Structures are given as structure tokens and as C-alpha cells.
Amino acid sequence: MTERTPLLHYRLSASVNESEQRSPPAGQAPEQHPGSPRQRSAHQRQPKKLSIFFGVVIPTLLSMFSVVLFLRIGFVVGQSGLYQAIAMFLVAYFIISMTVLSVCAISTNGALDAGGAYYMISRALGPEFGGSIGIMFFLANVCGSALYVLGLVEAIVATFGVPEDATIATSSYQILPSGYWWSLLYATAIALLCLLVCLVGAHIYAKATFLIFLVVMFVLGTIFVSFFAVSPRTIPLPSIGNPAANGTGPLLPTTANFTGFKLETLLGNLWADYTGDYTTGYMMTFTTVFAVMFNGCTGIMAGSNMSGELKNPSYSIPRGTITAVIFTFIIYNLLCVLVACSCDRVLLQRDYSFLRDINIWHPFVTVGVYSSTLSAAMSNLIGASRILYALARDDLFGKVLSPAKKTSHSGNPWVSVIISWFLVQLVLFSGKLNTIASIVTIFFLLVYAAVDLACLALEWASAPNFRPTFRYFTWHTCVLGIIGCAVMMFLINAIYASASIAFMLLLLLLIHYLSPTSSWGYISQALIFHQVRKYLLMLDVRKDHVKFWRPQVLLMVSNPRSSVGLITFINDIKKSGLYVLGHVQLGDLSTLPSDPLQSQYDSWLYLVDHLNIKAFVNLTLANSVRHGIQHLLFISGLGGMRPNTLVLGFYDDCLPKDKLIDPSLSSIQCTDSSGPSEPEQQPPLFHFTSLRGSSDRQDCGEFGDGKVLGPQEYVAIIADAMKMLKNVVLARYFNNFDRAQVLSPPSSSPGKGAVYVDVWPVNLLRPDSSSYVDTCSLFLLQLACILNMVRAWRKATLRLFLCVEEGRSVRGSEEKLGQLLKELRIKAQVYPVPWDQQVALHWQRQGEWGKKHSSQSPDATTEEKKLRACEEEEDEDYVNSFPSNATRLSDDYLSAVNKLILDAAHPAPAVRFLYLPRPPADTRRYTTYLHQLELLTQDLGPTLLIHGVTPVITTDL
């Protein structure tokens, strides 16, 4: 009926030693790769020798022939009629046929180990689904074992029990008292017998499997013969549930007829006639009858669980399982037709043991019922214990299931057997078979749906290693199986189905957050890869539009220990765009024995997890930092997902501070700072190079091998990025940036807890140009607006500073800027800032320079003439670029502008956005350019110098 879960039948005696040999030491993963030497040696010691018939057909048939075959086939026809009974079997076998196809596909893609469906699902879908479904499969086997025990008790009481309302026994062999507590006592005794067999004599059961199969087939043969050989007769009905027996209800018939083959009998049994179940008193419906009937259709995975003992699993499992399914389907439908043609409706509804009464020799059916139900009960108990043992061995639930790992000297998991028996005993308190039939059916339907889902996921993922030799399935059959299982679950009992799914999801979340990472592989990763590849191909860069622009950032990080603040801040302004952490390590691969970056990726990925950011990692090896960043700008991303913005830490002499120090590790390091094993004891997060003092720049400092990034190369990197049409952001003073502290300032502060973001959208190094609407200025506004859209920064206030000179219309400039902000849907406060004194300083220096160079001496060299011509050309070509007269900006002017920025903001903002001009065309002026940026941003706190090269904002709908 239900699954002959792993290590049953012939495998029981042979594989206990093998499972012990496969059991890993504590703390090691139980997974073994196919073809490993250890597995090959185990297979050599335990040769596969079972054929299709003994290894697949017999286990599957014994799993499917039991209670329903002998005790409930009349119940199904009597309640639902022949038409609906056949329809039920068609629906049930359609569902399990779809699942059989999935089972055959998965099982022929590799040998199964202990755990059956649990092993299948966990290795296909990962530990979360595998563990949760494994628990459900375990509970299904526990409830199935209890169901079979109750079925055996029902058969025993029907044969040897004294009716509850009878004063004397009607036959000499009716000697057992009846009643709930007596039935519970009998069930407990049978469960104890099963426990003893599972603890001591499991090998005896395995050896007797074929004998039990012969008995069941012989009894089945006598049943078919009896329909033709036995003459019509009157059969007394059980008095259980008959209200007329004690005078409390209407008079019901006490006898019914076995009529033989009659058309009148067949016509009376064609249509449904749902009545109360005489054993429980509950009113029957289509779904409740289907729930009982479906228990005779489970057990389809019994053969696949025997794959380790088969001569040719990929050949035997599909053929054996399908053969068993077809055979049972034919038998069930033939019995339905024979019963409907020869038995009164009353007999079918009120006597579940009628097959015994119409048999040519009554004890035949009794022996068949006893042997099949006892076999199935022990099978499910053994199966449940093996599933529990497999779950415990995989350490998915930590210490909770650790006792279930214990085995005897022979390898029998006796603790798992005891736990399973205890749960079976609890289920036995339900008292009646029909009471728990719905629960068992829903559990198995849920497991079957999960198997279909596993096969569907493997098929959709198109993994190259998913190559089952059984190919008679498609994703359509998997979907049909899932839908069929889900529909029938809710039709049988919506409350039980919802509770089962909720319990499974709870287990899934529990395992996801508590279990260690497994080495089984995650189907989710394969599916994500498959879908991402498909959508990346659909992401056409030719269809990009400014309306849907978003920042895609490449942040260059020298050492993450000093860059935590910047990494977390840039994560806020990416606006669901691509975010890549880039790092350049200096070196030449031709002189190295191996790629030094491969061992560093784990540390960077742990960093991403530790900081809880959504970023990718891209590392490169180059002979210089400039070439390395060029590599990353060229190759980072894929298709339409490529960085459009480069973020660099500022080049200054700020001392870096380690923001990744773990206090628990610092004490260890202080105790023993030497020793070769120390790096191995530290988690991968802390394998970054330690900061070594002032020689390290804040963010773009030392990259390794003692080489320091120079100012000339640093500015060249900025120029390279702009040539590649990448927006550039320089971040200064983010070494001490603490996002949580910045967004939650004390209420006693001057701003009373308010958070401000300041934007200066004018080129402060070009006082003769005060444009607020060029590409770069709009890029500043866009980034500031994006930051303000982040949930944590929504309460921040944008302050936009408008630099104005005396004599110009302040109101007009402010109105124009306000209208622009309104059209751009940006909410910001505009603050006009007079900067006449600063501009005067600039023009004063210009006048001095003009006097000095007003007339070109005849002695001027050709080189000086070329330089002046170059400067004049720059003035014409680059309105928004670094101007030629920037070389003539005095330090006094820059300091005055710096003081202007500081004085204009009260209270101080959390971060400032400033305009970054282009580097000069003359590379000899790179050092001057960097010096001016340093003076401009001196002591401003967290500041972003931003230069945008592409349109990123629009007023169009």
C-alpha cells in the first residue's frame, strides 16, 4: 500500500552493514560522490543480484495489495457505485502514473540511497525541500503503519471478536471481547510484535517476503474463483453500528445476499448511494471514500528504493514499477466489476469482510488479510525508521534528531525504530482505519507532488547532468501530477491539506535558517541560472531608454577593512541596479604558480553576506591598478547588465581604520599572534590583509606587494572612465561613515534629529560658469533623489544650494531652479548662497595672471606657445570640463569655497554631493587637479564628487 521505503525486503539484511560502513564520522557530511573508491568497494562486497521481479515487482505489489484489496473494495463499490468506483481508480492511477514517470526519471538518473523519496527530493531540490518532505514522508509511513495495524485489528475482531451488543457468541471461535479499548489493546500488541521484528528479526521478514507474496497471490486467486464457484447465499451482517440492535433506531437488515452474477444486482450497484460508515458513524462522501481507496494505490516507490540491490537499476525500475502499477489497476477494476455484479448493496455497505464469507474456504481470506496487513505494517515501520535515520544522518535538524543516528553492532538503527514505533502507538489511539485514512492519503499526495516538483525542476533547469535513461516523461506530465495531487488533497480535506502544507513550509523555513550548508547542490541555483541567462539575452542594450535608467555601480575597493562605510552607502544608491565590488591585485600570472584570486572569492562573498548588501564580486590580476580597473570596466557585467558608474575612494592621506575587527578574534590573536594555523582558525570574512598604517590610502591605497597607487595614476583612472563614457564618483571621508548612526542622530543635536543631504549642482572650480542644467548637474540631482527614495533615507531632507552673484536676479534663478525641480518631480529645499567674495578672489588671481602673461615675450619658446594654444582650445571645446584657467585657481579661492560650503549648511548634512569637473587634457596637470579637489573637500565630512556623462533624467511621461 504505502512505500517500501529504503532497506526493505531483500535489502534489509544485506544493507545494514553497508549503511554502517557508509555512515560518516561525526562532523563530516554523509554525502558520497558516485563512483568513489569507498562506494565501489562497498558495491564489490555487496553485489547487486536482484532481478526486475524480485527487486521491483514483488515489493511494489506487496505495498499496493493489503487493506484496500481485502477489506475495502466492497466499501468503495457499495458507497460510490461501480461508475464512480472506476472513476476513482482512474483518477488515482492517473495521479500515481504521472508520479511513476517522475520516479522512473529520477531513479534512472542515479542510484538511490537510504531515505527513498526523501533522498530523491533532498538531492534534487536541496536540503530545505528534502528535509521538510522527508519529515512528511516519515509521518506518512508512521500513519500508514498504524493504518495497517488497525486494518489487521478490524479483521481479527470481525473474525474472532464477540459483537459488543451480543449477549452470547454466534460461533465457537468468537472469543475475543470487542470495544474501543480492547481494539486498542490488540493494536498495541500487534505494534509491539512489529517492533520486536524490526529490532531483532528484520532479516526474517526480508527472507519471508517472497513467501508472503505467494500467499497473497494465492488468496487473490481463490477470491476470483469464488465469484464463479460459490453458489448464492445469505450472509449475516455485523451488528456494529446497527441502531436497531439495542432498540434505539430504525430497523436495519441483519442479513444480505450474495446473489451470484445477476443483471439486477449489477443495475443496483451502478450509481452512488453514500451512507454512514457503520464502523465510525461518519457520513461518507466521494472524497472520504477516495481517501480510503487511494491507500491501495500508494507504494509506487518501493521498487526505486531497491535500486542499490538491482542488477540493472535503470532497466529494472521503470519496467518493474510500471508493470506492477498496470497489474494492480487491472486487479482492482476486475474486483469492482465482479463485486458489483454479485453482491447486494447492503452487503457491500455493512460488511467489510464479506470476501471471507463468500470464499470457497473462509480461512483463505483471513490468512491473506493477516499476512498482507502485518507485512505492510512492518514494512512501513521499517521504512519510517530508515527515513528518520537518513534525516538524522544528514544533520538537517541538528541535535534534535541526533539520537536517531545510533545503530546496533549490525548497523540496525534501533533508536529510529523505537521512535517510529512510539509515534505509531500514538496514532493507534484514533481507533478506526477510516479515521486516519484521509491524513495518510494527504501526506502521500504531498510527497508525490514533491517528487513531481523535483523532476519538473530538474527538467526545467536543463542541467547537463540530468540524463535519465527513462525518457517517457515531459514537464507536462510533472505539472499534471502536481496539479492532480494538489486538487485531490483539497477535495479530500481542505483543512488537513492546508495544515500539512503549512507544516511543511514551516519545516522548510526552519531548515533554511538552522541547517548547515550541504554539498548536495541546490536546484534553485540551476533554475535561477537558466532563467537569468534567458532574460539577459532578452535584455537588449539597443532598447535602453533614459526613463528606465538606473545606476549600475562598480565600486573599487582596495581593502574592505577600511571601506565598510562606503560599501554600505553605495548599496543605498544603486536603486535595484547592478552593484559590483571590484578589486585589483597586482601581479603577473606568468610568474605565479596559480591564480591567487581563486582563494579570495569566498572571503569577498562572506563580506557581502556579513554586510547584508546585494552585490557581486569581481576580482582581477593586473600589472597596475589602472590597467586592472580598465579590465573591470571592460568586462564586468553581462549583456545589458554592465556598470555605468565607477566609484573610487578619494586619494588622500587619511589613516584607515579597521571596521571588520571581531572582538572574539582579537582576544585570540592577542593570546597567540604567531603560529601557522591561526589563519585557518579565522572565518573567511577576516582573511583580508590587515591594515598597516599611514602608507595605506583610505580606499584606493596599497594594493599589495608594497606598491602604492600614485596621484598621476589615480587621476588617469578617472580620465579613462570618462573616455569609456562611465559616470565617475569620488567618495571622501567615508572611512568613519556609520549608516545607522547617521540616520538616527540624537534629538539633542542642533537639527533635532533631522537628516540632511546637501547638493551643490554647479562646477565650483569654474566660477565663470554657473549652469545648473547640464548633464553633470542633472546627474547629481538624480543620485541625490535616488538616495532619498531609499526607505532608510526617506526622512532625509534634500537641500539644493544655488550659488548667486550680486547684481544677478536671485529670485529669477531660484524660480527657474524650483520650476526645474517641479518638472523633475524632485522634492528639495533651495537655498541661494551668495559667493561674491569667493568669485572676487578668483578674478583677482585671473587679473594677476593676465598682467603677467598679457604680452608674450619674443623669447617665448615654441612649447609655451603650444601650451597657450591648447588652453584656448580647451576653453572652446569643454564648457563643463576642467577649464584651462583652473591651473590659475588659487589655494585661497579653493579654501574660501570650502569654507562657504561648511558655513552654508546648518546643521551639518549626512552626506554632500558636489560637482566633479573633468580632469585636464594635459596629463602634467593631474597632480594640480587632485590637489584642488582635496582643498575643495577639506573637512567636509562624507562627500561625493560626481561627474555624469550620460543623460539620466527626463520630464517626459
Side-chain angles (χ1 to χ4, degrees):
M1 182 168 155
T2 49
E3 276 59 326
R4 292 286 190 257
T5 40
L7 307 179
L8 300 184
H9 305 299
Y10 292 91
R11 191 175 182 182
L12 283 171
S13 59
S15 59
V16 286
N17 292 328
E18 182 184 345
S19 65
E20 186 179 24
Q21 293 160 358
R22 282 199 307 261
S23 300
Q28 292 185 11
E31 181 73 4
Q32 290 185 4
H33 298 288
S36 64
R38 191 173 182 183
Q39 265 194 334
R40 287 197 298 268
S41 62
H43 291 170
Q44 291 169 0
R45 291 191 298 270
Q46 301 291 341
K48 300 176 182 178
K49 55 185 177 181
L50 295 181
S51 63
I52 297 177
F53 184 71
F54 288 98
V56 182
V57 176
I58 289 180
T60 306
L61 287 178
L62 284 178
S63 294
M64 301 181 75
F65 280 158
S66 55
V67 172
V68 172
L69 178 68
F70 294 111
L71 296 179
R72 288 297 184 269
I73 196 71
F75 161 79
V76 173
V77 176
Q79 295 287 346
S80 60
L82 180 61
Y83 289 156
Q84 288 193 17
I86 294 177
M88 286 181 185
F89 279 107
L90 286 173
V91 171
Y93 272 83
F94 173 79
I95 293 173
I96 66 170
S97 296
M98 299 299 101
T99 307
V100 162
L101 298 179
S102 300
V103 169
C104 293
I106 297 177
S107 60
T108 57
N109 194 50
L112 300 180
D113 204 343
Y118 157 70
Y119 188 87
M120 230 188 288
I121 298 169
S122 62
R123 269 53 176 183
L125 297 183
E128 294 96 339
F129 272 98
S132 56
I133 293 297
I135 290 292
M136 304 304 293
F137 196 33
F138 165 71
L139 294 177
N141 277 271
V142 166
C143 294
S145 180
L147 182 140
Y148 294 132
V149 170
L150 292 174
L152 180 55
V153 169
E154 184 179 299
I156 292 174
V157 171
T159 304
F160 301 103
V162 178
E164 292 185 61
D165 302 318
T167 56
I168 59 173
T170 57
S171 60
S172 59
Y173 49 81
Q174 289 183 331
I175 57 175
L176 298 178
S178 302
Y180 170 79
W181 293 107
W182 285 106
S183 296
L184 181 61
L185 177 63
Y186 306 149
T188 302
I190 296 171
L192 281 173
L193 175 63
C194 295
L195 173 65
L196 292 176
V197 171
C198 294
L199 288 176
V200 181
H203 58 285
I204 299 175
Y205 168 72
K207 293 179 180 179
T209 301
F210 182 59
L211 179 60
I212 294 174
F213 171 74
L214 291 178
V215 170
V216 172
M217 290 298 103
F218 176 76
V219 172
L220 184 60
T222 63
I223 290 175
F224 277 103
V225 170
S226 299
F227 281 106
F228 298 92
V230 175
S231 59
R233 61 182 62 178
T234 300
I235 299 172
L237 298 177
S239 59
I240 301 175
N242 190 345
N246 52 15
T248 59
L251 183 64
L252 294 178
T254 57
T255 61
N257 297 320
F258 171 70
T259 63
F261 293 103
K262 285 188 177 181
L263 180 61
E264 182 182 354
T265 304
L266 174 62
L267 295 176
N269 289 324
L270 289 179
W271 305 102
D273 181 19
Y274 294 105
T275 61
D277 174 19
Y278 78 91
T279 62
T280 62
Y282 295 139
M283 188 66 186
M284 293 293 99
T285 62
F286 178 89
T287 55
T288 54
V289 174
F290 179 87
V292 176
M293 180 276 303
F294 190 80
N295 285 279
C297 305
T298 57
I300 55 176
M301 282 183 271
S304 58
N305 290 335
M306 300 293 291
S307 60
E309 303 299 326
L310 299 174
K311 291 179 181 178
N312 189 347
S314 61
Y315 179 85
S316 302
I317 290 176
R319 289 164 177 79
T321 305
I322 294 174
T323 299
V325 168
I326 294 175
F327 180 75
T328 55
F329 177 74
I330 294 173
I331 295 299
Y332 278 131
N333 281 278
L334 279 178
L335 279 178
C336 287
V337 173
L338 294 176
V339 164
C341 291
S342 59
C343 299
D344 282 346
R345 176 64 66 95
V346 176
L347 177 63
L348 301 179
Q349 291 178 341
R350 298 197 53 81
D351 186 3
Y352 297 156
S353 302
F354 75 97
L355 288 177
R356 177 199 60 198
D357 299 324
I358 67 173
N359 199 270
I360 53 178
W361 190 53
H362 296 177
F364 277 154
V365 175
T366 302
V367 171
V369 171
Y370 292 175
S371 59
S372 63
T373 51
L374 187 61
S375 166
M378 286 190 293
S379 169
N380 277 263
L381 181 58
I382 295 173
S385 65
R386 286 343 187 244
I387 296 170
L388 184 62
Y389 172 66
L391 284 165
R393 198 177 62 175
D394 285 341
D395 287 324
L396 295 184
F397 293 90
K399 296 181 179 179
V400 177
L401 295 181
S402 57
K405 296 182 189 178
K406 295 181 180 180
T407 59
S408 63
H409 292 294
S410 62
N412 187 28
W414 60 274
V415 176
S416 297
V417 173
I418 293 176
I419 294 174
S420 302
W421 164 80
F422 177 74
L423 294 178
V424 169
Q425 184 61 48
L426 292 180
V427 178
L428 290 177
F429 280 94
S430 61
K432 296 295 181 181
L433 184 151
N434 287 9
T435 304
I436 62 173
S438 298
I439 300 175
V440 176
T441 299
I442 286 174
F443 280 170
F444 275 109
L445 283 170
L446 190 59
V447 172
Y448 292 163
V451 173
D452 288 320
L453 178 63
C455 188
L456 176 66
L458 289 169
E459 178 70 10
W460 275 356
S462 300
N465 284 321
F466 183 58
R467 299 187 296 270
T469 56
F470 180 85
R471 295 302 304 171
Y472 298 101
F473 78 99
T474 65
W475 67 268
H476 303 86
T477 61
C478 300
V479 170
L480 288 174
I482 294 172
I483 294 174
C485 291
V487 170
M488 291 315 303
M489 280 173 58
F490 283 93
L491 285 180
I492 290 170
N493 192 310
I495 296 177
Y496 287 170
S498 301
S500 300
I501 294 174
F503 180 61
M504 185 194 71
L505 293 177
L506 180 64
L507 290 172
L508 189 147
L509 293 175
L510 184 68
I511 298 173
H512 176 74
Y513 287 108
L514 299 183
S515 69
T517 302
S518 73
S519 59
W520 306 338
Y522 295 81
I523 190 64
S524 58
Q525 297 301 303
L527 289 172
I528 291 171
F529 177 88
H530 183 266
Q531 293 301 111
V532 167
R533 182 193 64 86
K534 182 174 71 174
Y535 286 115
L536 274 176
L537 292 172
M538 297 170 61
L539 190 60
D540 192 343
V541 294
R542 295 169 296 182
K543 298 179 181 178
D544 286 345
H545 194 278
V546 65
K547 288 191 297 185
F548 306 111
W549 179 91
R550 65 180 73 238
Q552 305 197 80
V553 181
L554 170 63
L555 170 62
M556 297 305 305
V557 180
S558 171
N559 193 327
R561 293 186 177 277
S562 62
S563 307
V564 172
L566 180 58
I567 293 172
T568 54
F569 178 79
I570 298 300
N571 185 64
D572 284 339
I573 65 171
K574 69 179 187 301
K575 187 58 178 175
S576 302
L578 180 68
Y579 185 21
V580 180
L581 298 182
H583 174 73
V584 178
Q585 179 164 327
L586 299 182
D588 186 356
L589 192 59
S590 62
T591 62
L592 297 172
S594 62
D595 183 5
L597 300 177
Q598 297 303 317
S599 60
Q600 300 180 22
Y601 272 100
D602 282 347
S603 294
W604 285 86
L605 294 177
Y606 275 108
L607 173 73
V608 170
D609 295 337
H610 176 71
L611 298 181
N612 194 26
I613 61 175
K614 297 178 180 179
F616 299 95
V617 174
N618 209 343
L619 313 181
T620 189
L621 189 69
N623 57 4
S624 71
V625 176
R626 181 182 181 184
H627 289 160
I629 295 179
Q630 287 178 1
H631 296 167
L632 294 178
L633 287 174
F634 277 125
I635 67 173
S636 291
L638 198 63
M641 297 282 288
R642 290 186 178 276
N644 56 33
T645 303
L646 173 67
V647 180
L648 301 171
F650 198 77
Y651 190 94
D652 58 16
D653 293 321
C654 293
L655 286 176
K657 294 183 180 179
D658 195 337
K659 297 296 185 179
L660 288 179
I661 295 177
D662 188 344
S664 62
L665 290 178
S666 60
S667 60
I668 298 176
Q669 294 170 359
C670 293
T671 304
D672 183 15
S673 59
S674 62
S677 63
E678 182 184 357
E680 297 178 1
Q681 297 173 353
Q682 299 180 11
L685 178 61
F686 302 98
H687 287 179
F688 299 111
T689 306
S690 59
L691 301 176
R692 291 184 289 275
S694 59
S695 63
D696 291 298
R697 299 295 181 180
Q698 180 177 342
D699 292 300
C700 284
E702 189 172 339
F703 279 79
D705 299 335
K707 297 181 180 179
V708 179
L709 177 66
Q712 191 79 9
E713 186 178 4
Y714 178 78
V715 180
I717 292 171
I718 300 173
D720 291 343
M722 294 182 184
K723 291 175 184 176
M724 299 169 67
L725 296 181
K726 306 294 184 184
N727 309 300
V728 178
V729 177
L730 306 183
R732 190 175 190 187
Y733 295 119
F734 277 88
N735 191 31
N736 296 319
F737 182 82
D738 188 335
R739 181 174 180 268
Q741 183 178 357
V742 166
L743 295 176
S744 302
S747 57
S748 58
S749 61
K752 297 182 181 180
V755 179
Y756 296 96
V757 176
D758 288 0
V759 183
W760 294 76
V762 67
N763 187 351
L764 297 174
L765 299 189
R766 186 71 183 265
D768 56 341
S769 174
S770 57
S771 173
Y772 286 91
V773 291
D774 59 48
T775 299
C776 186
S777 299
L778 294 178
F779 187 83
L780 257 74
L781 289 174
Q782 180 77 320
L783 283 191
C785 181
I786 288 173
L787 179 65
N788 200 210
M789 294 168 69
V790 177
R791 178 174 299 179
W793 291 85
R794 283 178 184 171
K795 294 184 179 179
T797 302
L798 290 185
R799 296 190 299 195
L800 191 59
F801 291 93
L802 178 65
C803 295
V804 295
E805 297 180 44
E806 187 178 354
R808 295 191 179 184
S809 174
V810 176
R811 183 179 298 277
S813 300
E814 187 175 357
E815 289 179 354
K816 290 180 180 179
L817 188 57
Q819 181 63 28
L820 175 64
L821 293 176
K822 184 177 180 181
E823 292 178 357
L824 298 177
R825 289 105 45 216
I826 297 177
K827 185 178 180 181
Q829 298 177 3
V830 180
Y831 292 89
V833 178
W835 66 332
D836 297 85
Q837 296 179 359
Q838 291 76 17
V839 173
L841 285 173
H842 168 68
W843 289 117
Q844 180 181 353
R845 176 63 183 268
Q846 292 297 305
E848 295 173 357
W849 188 90
K851 291 178 181 178
K852 184 177 179 181
H853 298 280
S854 58
S855 60
Q856 185 173 338
S857 65
D859 300 331
T861 63
T862 305
E863 186 175 328
E864 290 175 348
K865 294 178 180 178
K866 290 182 178 179
L867 181 61
R868 176 178 293 274
C870 179
E871 291 173 352
E872 293 174 354
E873 183 179 352
E874 285 180 5
D875 278 333
E876 296 175 1
D877 293 346
Y878 299 104
V879 176
N880 298 317
S881 67
F882 190 77
S884 59
N885 61 4
T887 57
R888 304 188 292 277
L889 290 175
S890 66
D891 290 352
D892 293 338
Y893 166 75
L894 294 169
S895 299
V897 173
N898 173 262
K899 187 175 184 302
L900 172 70
I901 297 174
L902 282 172
D903 295 341
H906 291 288
V911 63
R912 288 181 172 90
F913 289 71
L914 300 185
Y915 190 113
L916 174 68
R918 280 180 177 269
D922 187 358
T923 58
R924 293 173 297 177
R925 298 176 184 165
Y926 280 0
T927 305
T928 302
Y929 170 79
L930 187 58
H931 172 69
Q932 292 173 347
L933 295 181
E934 186 173 1
L935 287 178
L936 179 66
T937 57
Q938 187 73 34
D939 299 324
L940 290 184
T943 302
L944 295 181
L945 286 162
I946 302 171
H947 187 91
V949 296
T950 54
V952 295
I953 201 166
T954 179
T955 58
D956 296 336
L957 182 62

